[in-house]
Every structure is written in structure tokens, then in C-alpha cells.
Amino acid sequence: MSSPLAPSRRTLVAGAGGAALAGAGGAVVHAAAPAAAARSTYAPATYAATPVLPAAQRHLVSRFSYGLTPALAAQVRRSGGAAAWFEKQLRPSAVADGMPSGFGSWWPSLSRGPKELWDRQAQEVEGGWVVMQNYQRWVLMRRTFTQRQVAEVMTEFWENHFNVPVNGDLAFTHRAAYGSVVRARALGRFEDLLLAVTTHPAMLIYLDGARSTKARPNENLARELLELHTVGRGTYGEDDVKASARILTGWWVDLFGSWEAGYRTEAHATGPVRVMDFADDNASPDGRDLTRRYLSHLAHHPATAARICRKLALKFVSDEPSEALVASLARVYLANDTAIVPVLRALVASAEFRGSAGRKVRDPGEDVVATYRALGLKVGPPTQGDAAVNAMLWQVANLGTTPLAWPRPDGAPLTGDAWSSPSRVLASFEAHWVLAGGWWPKVGVTYRRPPAWVPRFPITFRLLVDHLSRTVLQRPSTAALLEACCLATGIAPGERITRDHHLVRWNMHRLLATLLDSPAHLTR
């Protein structure tokens, strides 16, 4: 027999397991636990035929992917466990990419050169903002479907650290290529990455290095290099910024001409320079080697090691990582010539990482991508304007932000409180609702039909909830989750679900959305 009429979905925020918000330090606040009698009524079942990874393995894969799925869990098992999977992921060339057939040609302008992109905008053929929105969609697709999940997560981390917003006026000419440069070095040495991004035309354009000359050194890139990209505040002064700017003169971009990047010796400011404990005679008009030595010094600076390792811990451990963990990771970083892979190995081996499950809130992009992955949606090319691959970006925007569009050089926040407002949570509920129901988008996407979510008929509701929890959330169900599902659907725990049951015929979206609204999905 069905329970009384289910309440509206938003009233479930007050029910057990109905929602998650980030409290102080990004901790997840769960709704009140049910009374003892209710716990007995909502005792979960176990659908053993649907396997899940052990909790520790699930934690590792969840932190270093965009959402654990049955296919990814099977891949982890085939690899011999999460640790072996992680090691293989650290060598992305050894992993099949797995992107849809023909994906590289979905947005032709992402392969166009900078001058052609600029000319197309000037001729009103295609605006730069359109190209950049398509780049954001390209990125969302990669996050959703690539099997190189660790490499993609680290690419996002570095594109955020070395932020060049996609909504800049001129940098769009080189922005997609900039992303490729970061992706190719995301699991390499920080020193190599720092040199590549600092001298890249997208960064030079965004932070005015392209206009900086010995006659008029521009301090924007020089300051952000110190403040944001390497040593951080409190380690340098204004004279250091000025010297840093002089070191970087000579790198340029032919703005409004060929848009090609290069080096002009006549624009380089020569003469002695000192930045903190780095000093050089700077006698040569060709300052490229000076730039390399200067950036190498910054990459190996203890303050840089601490800053980079703290950000890695913020991203992958907790919103308040201990100073002991940061110091330990920094020692690994310096001992390994700024290589990132040894730092990641040390991070996941730490007790602090192992004890941090459920303490990181998914940001809007992670939420939408994880939802597409959890629902097993298949997305095709953008054959028309409202195609799913286009709508995906709008869905992320509805949650409060879009990928790579943070408007300041400091990059989007890595802490949960930035993404945990009531309006964000309700917007996530709405996104989960429409995707669970298959209502929008409708074009260029394939949804699983409701009967496909049921492993066998008939089945009791509590068994179905456990199966779906294992499928969608990749973990066994709990009493709190079962109660929330019963409240959302109006179905009692022991009720038999048949092929003709109203849940299968028209209410499956209520059950799926409740799973997606749970703390297990809203955190990683």
C-alpha cells in the first residue's frame, strides 16, 4: 500500500537526507536523523547483484574524476583497484581517450588560427564570444566523457590556477590553444608549465604582457606571476614587481595584425634586475634565457611549493588542510624538481586525504557533469541551437557560473562555501529534476527509459532504492536515503514494483531526482 500523498520536492529539504549545504570549512550539513521507530521502518535492503567499490576506493576515484559511474567502477576493478587505476591515469597516453566519434570536428572554429578567428569576428561572421562558449562546451564534454579523468581534472585545476577568462575581449584568439598547452603539461613539472603559460600569447594578451616594452614596462603579468601563480603575497615588494616586469619585456603578440606571438629583442629592458633572492646582470637584449632562469627560480622557491601544495590540498582534500600536510607535500614537490605526479601520490597516501570523504562540495560545473554521468546520458553533436551539448552550458550557468569564465586573474574559489548558497542548492534541485525526467534538453541526447532503471520485475521498493543508489551514487542505500525516496514518491519501503506500477509508468523521475539531490551526489 502506498504511503500518503508525497510532499513537494522542496519540502524534502527538511527531511532526512534530502539536501546538503556547506557549513563552516565546507562541512556537509545533513538533515536531522529520523526517530528510532522511523529507522526501523526505513531499514535499507541490499541488492547484492549490483556491486560497488569499497568506500576508500570510491573516495579516491570520486575525488579524481567527474563522477563515479558503473562503467568507471568496472574499469577500476579491471585495473586491480583504485590505486592501480590512479597510477595508470597518471600516464594519460596509456588510457584511451574515449570521446565520441567525430568529436574533434563539432566546433570547427576551435581549430582555426588566431588571425582567422579575429577576421571572422571583424566581418561579423562569428563573434569571439561564440567561439569561447563553444570552447566551454568542448571542455564540459571532455569532462563528461573522457576516460582520462585524472588528466582532465588536473587540466581544470591548472587552467583555474593560471586563469585566462574565456570572456576576455582579445585573448579568445589564442584561448583554445592555451587550454591545449595546459592539458599537455597538467601532469608534468610545474616549472615547464609555468614557462609555457607565462609566455603564451593568451596570457600575454590577458595580462598586458603583449604591450609591455622597455620604454613602458607593464606590471600586470609581473605582479600576478608573483602574487597568484608562484610565491604569493607577503614574499615580495613593489621593487620586485618592477624588476619582474622588466625581466618579462620582449615577449609580445602582433595585436590587430597577424596575431602571431614572438620575441622582440628591441623591446627588452636590459640592466641589472633583482626579484627577492633572484639577481641577474641582464646584459643581453635577448631576454628569453633570463625568463627561463627567472621562472625556474620562482618554480623552485619554497613559497611557491607551499602555495601550489596548499591549493592542491584545497582542491582534493578539504577546505582547511593542515599545515603539516601542506609542508609534507611541499617537501615532495621540491625533492622531485617540481614534478606534480609525486605530489599527487603523496597526497592520496596521506591520512588526511583518506579521512576527508564527503567534505568537498561540487561546484556548478562538477554538479551538472556528474549528473549527466550518473544518468548515463549520451550526447551527440550540435546539430541545432537547442541541442543538448549547447544546453549543457546553459544548465551550468543557471547554477551560478560557467567553466573558465571567472572574471579575475585569481581563478574560481576551491572552497565549498562559495558554492553552497540556498539558491545554488535549489537551482541544482531544478537541474536534477528536469534531467531525471528527460524534459530538457530534448535534442541530441539519449535518456534511459524508466523500465531500464529496474533490474528485475517484480522488486520491492527498498531493494530498488538500494540498486539505484548503487547505480547512481555508487554506494549502498541508507535509512535516511530510503526515507527520502519514500517521501518523494509516496511509496512504502516494502511495496512491490511491477512493470505497470505508477513509479515505472510516470514517476521514476521523482526517485532519480531524490538520489541526485542527496548529499552523496552534491559532494565528491
Side-chain angles (χ1 to χ4, degrees):
M1 179 180 295
S2 298
S3 58
L5 183 65
S8 69
R9 290 180 65 250
R10 292 192 177 186
T11 65
L12 291 176
V13 174
L21 286 172
V28 176
V29 179
H30 298 267
R39 284 200 298 269
S40 176
T41 300
Y42 296 107
T46 299
Y47 194 83
T50 303
V52 293
L53 295 176
Q57 295 193 38
R58 180 177 69 235
H59 172 50
L60 171 58
V61 179
S62 177
R63 283 288 165 89
F64 282 91
S65 73
Y66 287 97
L68 191 53
T69 65
L72 179 52
Q75 185 183 108
V76 170
R77 284 188 285 270
R78 288 195 302 270
S79 298
W85 170 85
F86 185 67
E87 277 299 316
K88 187 174 182 180
Q89 286 280 313
L90 294 175
R91 296 176 289 110
S93 61
V95 180
D97 197 7
M99 294 304 294
S101 176
F103 174 68
S105 62
W106 286 12
W107 295 286
S109 284
L110 297 183
S111 300
R112 300 186 196 278
K115 186 177 189 311
E116 184 178 6
L117 289 174
W118 180 260
D119 289 345
R120 286 169 64 84
Q121 172 169 276
Q123 297 161 10
E124 300 185 353
V125 175
E126 183 181 39
W129 64 273
V130 175
V131 177
M132 289 295 92
Q133 283 193 345
N134 288 338
Y135 178 61
Q136 292 176 295
R137 291 166 175 136
W138 184 89
V139 165
L140 286 171
M141 283 290 292
R142 284 203 59 81
R143 294 175 185 175
T144 305
F145 294 107
T146 184
Q147 294 186 56
R148 298 171 179 169
Q149 285 283 292
V150 173
E152 204 62 31
V153 168
M154 289 305 300
T155 298
E156 179 185 5
F157 176 83
W158 292 122
E159 279 197 86
N160 189 57
H161 180 73
F162 296 107
N163 186 36
V164 176
V166 294
N167 45 18
D169 289 337
L170 305 180
F172 82 90
T173 52
H174 290 272
R175 185 58 183 81
Y178 178 79
S180 297
V181 164
V182 173
R183 180 171 285 101
R185 294 163 178 79
L187 290 167
R189 293 195 314 150
F190 180 79
E191 177 181 343
D192 298 333
L193 178 60
L194 180 64
L195 174 62
V197 298
T198 302
T199 60
H200 194 279
M203 181 67 78
L204 293 172
I205 293 171
Y206 174 52
L207 292 180
D208 298 311
R211 306 173 187 269
S212 185
T213 66
K214 64 182 180 183
R216 295 182 178 82
N218 189 291
E219 297 178 6
N220 285 354
L221 176 57
R223 184 180 302 276
E224 306 304 0
L225 171 65
L226 295 172
E227 179 178 333
L228 300 177
H229 301 164
T230 58
V231 294
R233 292 181 181 178
T235 57
Y236 62 90
E238 287 303 304
D239 288 343
D240 296 313
V241 173
K242 290 179 171 61
S244 181
R246 293 180 63 223
I247 290 172
L248 296 177
T249 53
W251 300 95
W252 74 295
V253 180
D254 185 19
L255 302 174
F256 308 107
S258 68
W259 292 92
E260 293 181 358
Y263 193 87
R264 296 189 303 170
T265 56
E266 67 272 19
H268 176 61
T270 56
V273 288
R274 176 177 290 277
V275 180
M276 302 179 296
D277 51 350
F278 175 85
D280 195 272
D281 291 340
N282 186 25
S284 172
D286 187 340
R288 284 176 287 191
D289 185 61
L290 171 63
T291 296
R292 283 188 283 271
R293 286 184 282 109
Y294 172 51
L295 295 180
S296 176
H297 178 82
L298 291 178
H300 288 83
H301 197 286
T304 299
R307 178 170 177 77
I308 296 304
C309 291
R310 181 172 288 104
K311 289 192 73 171
L312 286 168
L314 278 172
K315 174 70 175 178
F316 296 110
V317 180
S318 72
D319 288 1
E320 296 180 346
S322 71
E323 289 303 315
L325 175 62
V326 172
S328 174
L329 296 179
R331 288 192 293 271
V332 174
Y333 169 95
L334 292 172
N336 287 275
D337 195 24
T338 80
I340 295 302
V341 165
V343 178
L344 296 180
R345 289 190 181 118
L347 185 152
V348 301
S350 69
E352 201 162 326
F353 174 80
R354 293 194 300 271
S356 67
R359 294 175 59 188
K360 292 298 296 183
V361 174
R362 279 181 167 142
D363 67 31
E366 290 170 335
D367 186 358
V368 171
V369 167
T371 300
Y372 271 66
R373 288 172 63 83
L375 294 176
L377 304 188
K378 297 179 181 179
V379 179
T383 55
Q384 60 188 68
D386 59 349
V389 72
N390 293 333
M392 193 176 190
L393 180 61
W394 306 328
Q395 289 173 310
V396 176
N398 287 341
L399 271 61
T401 187
T402 56
L404 312 175
W406 189 256
R408 302 191 313 238
D410 57 346
L414 299 177
T415 54
D417 56 355
W419 311 112
S420 303
S421 68
S423 62
R424 150 67 202 284
V425 173
L426 293 176
S428 286
F429 285 5
E430 185 66 22
H432 300 160
W433 182 254
V434 297
L435 285 168
W439 295 311
W440 187 73
K442 298 290 287 187
V443 177
V445 60
T446 302
Y447 295 91
R448 291 180 67 175
R449 297 185 61 80
W453 289 105
V454 184
R456 60 177 171 81
F457 293 105
I459 189 172
T460 62
F461 187 65
R462 72 172 78 240
L463 269 177
L464 177 59
V465 168
D466 188 66
H467 163 72
L468 290 179
S469 179
R470 291 163 174 264
T471 302
V472 175
L473 304 177
Q474 288 298 299
R475 65 189 67 204
S477 62
T478 63
L481 180 64
L482 177 58
E483 182 183 11
C485 292
C486 290
L487 290 171
T489 60
I491 301 174
E495 188 167 337
R496 280 163 48 94
I497 307 301
T498 65
R499 192 176 296 274
D500 293 330
H501 193 279
H502 70 83
L503 176 72
V504 180
R505 295 180 66 186
W506 57 72
N507 276 330
M508 186 62 73
H509 63 281
R510 294 182 180 274
L511 179 53
L512 293 174
T514 303
L515 295 168
L516 296 170
D517 291 347
S518 70
H521 184 72
L522 287 167
T523 58
R524 58 176 180 85

